[in-house]
PDB file of all heavy atoms in Angstrom:
ATOM      1  N   ILE A 220       6.947  15.465 -22.066  1.00 95.00           N
ATOM      2  CA  ILE A 220       6.035  14.754 -21.298  1.00 95.00           C
ATOM      3  C   ILE A 220       4.701  15.585 -21.402  1.00 95.00           C
ATOM      4  O   ILE A 220       4.462  16.670 -21.066  1.00 95.00           O
ATOM      5  CB  ILE A 220       6.417  14.782 -19.809  1.00 95.00           C
ATOM      6  CG1 ILE A 220       7.774  14.075 -19.581  1.00 95.00           C
ATOM      7  CG2 ILE A 220       5.370  14.048 -18.929  1.00 95.00           C
ATOM      8  CD1 ILE A 220       8.264  14.103 -18.243  1.00 95.00           C
ATOM      9  N   LEU A 221       3.698  14.782 -22.042  1.00 93.00           N
ATOM     10  CA  LEU A 221       2.372  15.443 -22.264  1.00 93.00           C
ATOM     11  C   LEU A 221       2.497  16.786 -23.064  1.00 93.00           C
ATOM     12  O   LEU A 221       1.667  17.793 -22.775  1.00 93.00           O
ATOM     13  CB  LEU A 221       1.609  15.633 -21.024  1.00 93.00           C
ATOM     14  CG  LEU A 221       1.364  14.349 -20.229  1.00 93.00           C
ATOM     15  CD1 LEU A 221       0.667  14.587 -18.918  1.00 93.00           C
ATOM     16  CD2 LEU A 221       0.476  13.362 -20.954  1.00 93.00           C
ATOM     17  N   GLY A 222       3.467  16.938 -23.966  1.00 94.00           N
ATOM     18  CA  GLY A 222       3.559  18.053 -24.724  1.00 94.00           C
ATOM     19  C   GLY A 222       4.432  19.025 -24.051  1.00 94.00           C
ATOM     20  O   GLY A 222       4.812  20.179 -24.757  1.00 94.00           O
ATOM     21  N   LEU A 223       4.800  19.034 -22.744  1.00 95.00           N
ATOM     22  CA  LEU A 223       5.581  20.030 -22.069  1.00 95.00           C
ATOM     23  C   LEU A 223       7.055  19.564 -22.018  1.00 95.00           C
ATOM     24  O   LEU A 223       7.488  18.497 -21.607  1.00 95.00           O
ATOM     25  CB  LEU A 223       5.160  20.095 -20.628  1.00 95.00           C
ATOM     26  CG  LEU A 223       3.673  20.660 -20.500  1.00 95.00           C
ATOM     27  CD1 LEU A 223       3.293  20.635 -18.966  1.00 95.00           C
ATOM     28  CD2 LEU A 223       3.534  22.065 -21.028  1.00 95.00           C
ATOM     29  N   ASN A 224       7.914  20.434 -22.746  1.00 96.00           N
ATOM     30  CA  ASN A 224       9.256  20.017 -22.922  1.00 96.00           C
ATOM     31  C   ASN A 224      10.276  20.663 -22.006  1.00 96.00           C
ATOM     32  O   ASN A 224      10.129  21.886 -21.684  1.00 96.00           O
ATOM     33  CB  ASN A 224       9.759  20.412 -24.342  1.00 96.00           C
ATOM     34  CG  ASN A 224       9.201  19.507 -25.386  1.00 96.00           C
ATOM     35  OD1 ASN A 224       8.289  18.631 -25.156  1.00 96.00           O
ATOM     36  ND2 ASN A 224       9.797  19.450 -26.527  1.00 96.00           N
ATOM     37  N   LEU A 225      11.106  19.904 -21.461  1.00 95.00           N
ATOM     38  CA  LEU A 225      12.150  20.410 -20.515  1.00 95.00           C
ATOM     39  C   LEU A 225      13.506  19.855 -21.068  1.00 95.00           C
ATOM     40  O   LEU A 225      13.486  18.747 -21.490  1.00 95.00           O
ATOM     41  CB  LEU A 225      11.946  20.236 -19.082  1.00 95.00           C
ATOM     42  CG  LEU A 225      11.912  18.721 -18.577  1.00 95.00           C
ATOM     43  CD1 LEU A 225      12.132  18.692 -17.119  1.00 95.00           C
ATOM     44  CD2 LEU A 225      10.587  18.026 -18.801  1.00 95.00           C
ATOM     45  N   GLY A 226      14.591  20.592 -20.802  1.00 96.00           N
ATOM     46  CA  GLY A 226      15.919  19.946 -21.301  1.00 96.00           C
ATOM     47  C   GLY A 226      17.031  20.998 -21.110  1.00 96.00           C
ATOM     48  O   GLY A 226      16.823  22.042 -20.362  1.00 96.00           O
ATOM     49  N   ILE A 227      18.048  20.690 -21.763  1.00 95.00           N
ATOM     50  CA  ILE A 227      19.246  21.542 -21.623  1.00 95.00           C
ATOM     51  C   ILE A 227      19.812  21.666 -23.145  1.00 95.00           C
ATOM     52  O   ILE A 227      19.627  20.966 -24.070  1.00 95.00           O
ATOM     53  CB  ILE A 227      20.385  20.950 -20.875  1.00 95.00           C
ATOM     54  CG1 ILE A 227      20.816  19.594 -21.376  1.00 95.00           C
ATOM     55  CG2 ILE A 227      19.987  20.826 -19.342  1.00 95.00           C
ATOM     56  CD1 ILE A 227      21.979  18.963 -20.704  1.00 95.00           C
ATOM     57  N   ASP A 228      20.449  22.886 -23.372  1.00 93.00           N
ATOM     58  CA  ASP A 228      21.110  23.160 -24.608  1.00 93.00           C
ATOM     59  C   ASP A 228      22.607  23.548 -24.359  1.00 93.00           C
ATOM     60  O   ASP A 228      22.767  24.825 -24.023  1.00 93.00           O
ATOM     61  CB  ASP A 228      20.359  24.365 -25.343  1.00 93.00           C
ATOM     62  CG  ASP A 228      20.891  24.621 -26.675  1.00 93.00           C
ATOM     63  OD1 ASP A 228      21.977  24.073 -27.021  1.00 93.00           O
ATOM     64  OD2 ASP A 228      20.210  25.281 -27.468  1.00 93.00           O
ATOM     65  N   PRO A 229      23.511  22.621 -24.382  1.00 92.00           N
ATOM     66  CA  PRO A 229      24.837  22.958 -23.989  1.00 92.00           C
ATOM     67  C   PRO A 229      25.424  24.031 -24.837  1.00 92.00           C
ATOM     68  O   PRO A 229      26.232  24.934 -24.332  1.00 92.00           O
ATOM     69  CB  PRO A 229      25.595  21.566 -24.194  1.00 92.00           C
ATOM     70  CG  PRO A 229      24.529  20.510 -24.114  1.00 92.00           C
ATOM     71  CD  PRO A 229      23.306  21.225 -24.607  1.00 92.00           C
ATOM     72  N   LEU A 230      25.198  24.036 -26.175  1.00 87.00           N
ATOM     73  CA  LEU A 230      25.828  25.032 -27.051  1.00 87.00           C
ATOM     74  C   LEU A 230      25.352  26.452 -26.714  1.00 87.00           C
ATOM     75  O   LEU A 230      26.165  27.455 -26.852  1.00 87.00           O
ATOM     76  CB  LEU A 230      25.583  24.747 -28.536  1.00 87.00           C
ATOM     77  CG  LEU A 230      26.262  23.624 -29.142  1.00 87.00           C
ATOM     78  CD1 LEU A 230      25.960  23.433 -30.516  1.00 87.00           C
ATOM     79  CD2 LEU A 230      27.688  23.741 -28.913  1.00 87.00           C
ATOM     80  N   ALA A 231      24.138  26.585 -26.243  1.00 86.00           N
ATOM     81  CA  ALA A 231      23.562  27.867 -25.914  1.00 86.00           C
ATOM     82  C   ALA A 231      23.752  28.192 -24.452  1.00 86.00           C
ATOM     83  O   ALA A 231      23.255  29.243 -23.990  1.00 86.00           O
ATOM     84  CB  ALA A 231      22.104  27.971 -26.259  1.00 86.00           C
ATOM     85  N   LEU A 232      24.385  27.286 -23.685  1.00 89.00           N
ATOM     86  CA  LEU A 232      24.572  27.517 -22.201  1.00 89.00           C
ATOM     87  C   LEU A 232      23.198  27.758 -21.519  1.00 89.00           C
ATOM     88  O   LEU A 232      23.051  28.667 -20.878  1.00 89.00           O
ATOM     89  CB  LEU A 232      25.569  28.564 -21.999  1.00 89.00           C
ATOM     90  CG  LEU A 232      26.963  28.329 -22.581  1.00 89.00           C
ATOM     91  CD1 LEU A 232      27.801  29.548 -22.262  1.00 89.00           C
ATOM     92  CD2 LEU A 232      27.728  27.055 -22.078  1.00 89.00           C
ATOM     93  N   ALA A 233      22.259  26.786 -21.780  1.00 92.00           N
ATOM     94  CA  ALA A 233      20.836  27.170 -21.455  1.00 92.00           C
ATOM     95  C   ALA A 233      20.190  25.920 -20.856  1.00 92.00           C
ATOM     96  O   ALA A 233      20.515  24.841 -21.086  1.00 92.00           O
ATOM     97  CB  ALA A 233      20.042  27.769 -22.694  1.00 92.00           C
ATOM     98  N   VAL A 234      19.139  26.288 -20.158  1.00 94.00           N
ATOM     99  CA  VAL A 234      18.121  25.244 -19.739  1.00 94.00           C
ATOM    100  C   VAL A 234      16.824  25.565 -20.433  1.00 94.00           C
ATOM    101  O   VAL A 234      16.500  26.687 -20.827  1.00 94.00           O
ATOM    102  CB  VAL A 234      17.970  25.177 -18.235  1.00 94.00           C
ATOM    103  CG1 VAL A 234      19.286  24.739 -17.525  1.00 94.00           C
ATOM    104  CG2 VAL A 234      17.511  26.570 -17.666  1.00 94.00           C
ATOM    105  N   LYS A 235      15.899  24.642 -20.695  1.00 95.00           N
ATOM    106  CA  LYS A 235      14.660  24.706 -21.306  1.00 95.00           C
ATOM    107  C   LYS A 235      13.684  24.350 -20.248  1.00 95.00           C
ATOM    108  O   LYS A 235      13.588  23.148 -19.817  1.00 95.00           O
ATOM    109  CB  LYS A 235      14.530  23.862 -22.572  1.00 95.00           C
ATOM    110  CG  LYS A 235      15.640  24.280 -23.522  1.00 95.00           C
ATOM    111  CD  LYS A 235      15.458  23.386 -24.792  1.00 95.00           C
ATOM    112  CE  LYS A 235      16.509  23.746 -25.901  1.00 95.00           C
ATOM    113  NZ  LYS A 235      16.253  23.042 -27.135  1.00 95.00           N
ATOM    114  N   LEU A 236      12.653  25.212 -20.066  1.00 95.00           N
ATOM    115  CA  LEU A 236      11.595  24.906 -19.009  1.00 95.00           C
ATOM    116  C   LEU A 236      10.263  25.054 -19.572  1.00 95.00           C
ATOM    117  O   LEU A 236       9.974  25.946 -20.408  1.00 95.00           O
ATOM    118  CB  LEU A 236      11.710  25.847 -17.749  1.00 95.00           C
ATOM    119  CG  LEU A 236      13.064  25.936 -17.121  1.00 95.00           C
ATOM    120  CD1 LEU A 236      13.151  27.033 -16.096  1.00 95.00           C
ATOM    121  CD2 LEU A 236      13.348  24.589 -16.445  1.00 95.00           C
ATOM    122  N   PRO A 237       9.240  24.188 -19.193  1.00 96.00           N
ATOM    123  CA  PRO A 237       7.928  24.268 -19.807  1.00 96.00           C
ATOM    124  C   PRO A 237       7.291  25.581 -19.356  1.00 96.00           C
ATOM    125  O   PRO A 237       7.504  26.147 -18.358  1.00 96.00           O
ATOM    126  CB  PRO A 237       7.212  23.101 -18.927  1.00 96.00           C
ATOM    127  CG  PRO A 237       8.184  22.139 -18.632  1.00 96.00           C
ATOM    128  CD  PRO A 237       9.463  23.056 -18.269  1.00 96.00           C
ATOM    129  N   GLY A 238       6.596  26.218 -20.415  1.00 94.00           N
ATOM    130  CA  GLY A 238       5.965  27.471 -20.264  1.00 94.00           C
ATOM    131  C   GLY A 238       6.935  28.586 -20.315  1.00 94.00           C
ATOM    132  O   GLY A 238       6.680  29.613 -21.003  1.00 94.00           O
ATOM    133  N   ILE A 239       8.061  28.495 -19.621  1.00 94.00           N
ATOM    134  CA  ILE A 239       9.087  29.662 -19.582  1.00 94.00           C
ATOM    135  C   ILE A 239       9.944  29.764 -20.878  1.00 94.00           C
ATOM    136  O   ILE A 239      10.159  30.703 -21.344  1.00 94.00           O
ATOM    137  CB  ILE A 239       9.865  29.500 -18.376  1.00 94.00           C
ATOM    138  CG1 ILE A 239       8.971  29.711 -17.112  1.00 94.00           C
ATOM    139  CG2 ILE A 239      11.046  30.567 -18.387  1.00 94.00           C
ATOM    140  CD1 ILE A 239       9.861  29.437 -15.809  1.00 94.00           C
ATOM    141  N   GLY A 240      10.256  28.516 -21.257  1.00 93.00           N
ATOM    142  CA  GLY A 240      11.086  28.461 -22.522  1.00 93.00           C
ATOM    143  C   GLY A 240      12.609  28.410 -22.144  1.00 93.00           C
ATOM    144  O   GLY A 240      13.070  27.886 -21.218  1.00 93.00           O
ATOM    145  N   HIS A 241      13.411  28.987 -23.167  1.00 90.00           N
ATOM    146  CA  HIS A 241      14.866  29.008 -23.047  1.00 90.00           C
ATOM    147  C   HIS A 241      15.350  30.039 -22.120  1.00 90.00           C
ATOM    148  O   HIS A 241      15.018  31.204 -22.173  1.00 90.00           O
ATOM    149  CB  HIS A 241      15.308  29.267 -24.482  1.00 90.00           C
ATOM    150  CG  HIS A 241      16.752  29.558 -24.635  1.00 90.00           C
ATOM    151  ND1 HIS A 241      17.284  30.792 -24.523  1.00 90.00           N
ATOM    152  CD2 HIS A 241      17.854  28.873 -24.785  1.00 90.00           C
ATOM    153  CE1 HIS A 241      18.540  30.928 -24.665  1.00 90.00           C
ATOM    154  NE2 HIS A 241      18.995  29.672 -24.915  1.00 90.00           N
TER     155      HIS A 241
END
Side-chain angles (χ1 to χ4, degrees):
I220 300 175
L221 299 176
L223 299 175
N224 284 18
L225 65 158
I227 59 172
D228 186 347
L230 289 184
L232 302 178
V234 295
K235 302 179 178 187
L236 302 175
I239 295 174
H241 164 274

